[in-house]
Amino acid sequence: MKTSHQARNKERILARRVICNGTSFRLAVAEAYNDNGAWRVAITPFSEEIHSTSYHNGILEVTDNDGNPFVGPSPTPPIFTLS
């Protein structure tokens, strides 16, 4: 089952697999953040636990509102789809 939501300001999710802009990352953190009105997503390998990071034991796909790969900077937040 897939669930989707628009990323909230400064949202971090650790997932077993993150797919962003056509690239697949294993055990990575996706962080959506607003940089002076421009939304960006940073994907980093998992290195340490931070209390504000939620965990998803599956796939996190980062897209735009139309379901296309998210390419930032963007005026609209990315969509995080968990499956």
Side-chain angles (χ1 to χ4, degrees):
M1 182 172 89
K2 289 186 176 185
T3 60
S4 299
H5 70 276
Q6 197 167 48
R8 297 172 292 278
N9 196 27
K10 200 70 171 168
E11 181 172 6
R12 295 171 48 92
I13 297 179
L14 166 62
R16 282 237 185 253
R17 191 167 129 205
V18 176
I19 300 172
C20 185
N21 203 9
T23 304
S24 179
F25 303 88
R26 289 182 182 249
L27 199 58
V29 176
E31 181 176 5
Y33 61 97
N34 190 314
D35 183 18
N36 293 321
W39 282 91
R40 300 174 189 273
V41 173
I43 309 295
T44 55
F46 173 71
S47 61
E48 65 181 316
E49 201 168 333
I50 298 174
H51 77 280
S52 62
T53 305
S54 60
Y55 175 71
H56 176 64
N57 189 23
I59 301 170
L60 165 64
E61 188 172 359
V62 184
T63 61
D64 65 14
N65 287 334
D66 297 322
N68 300 313
F70 179 82
V71 179
S74 171
T76 57
I79 304 296
F80 283 174
T81 301
L82 306 172
S83 59

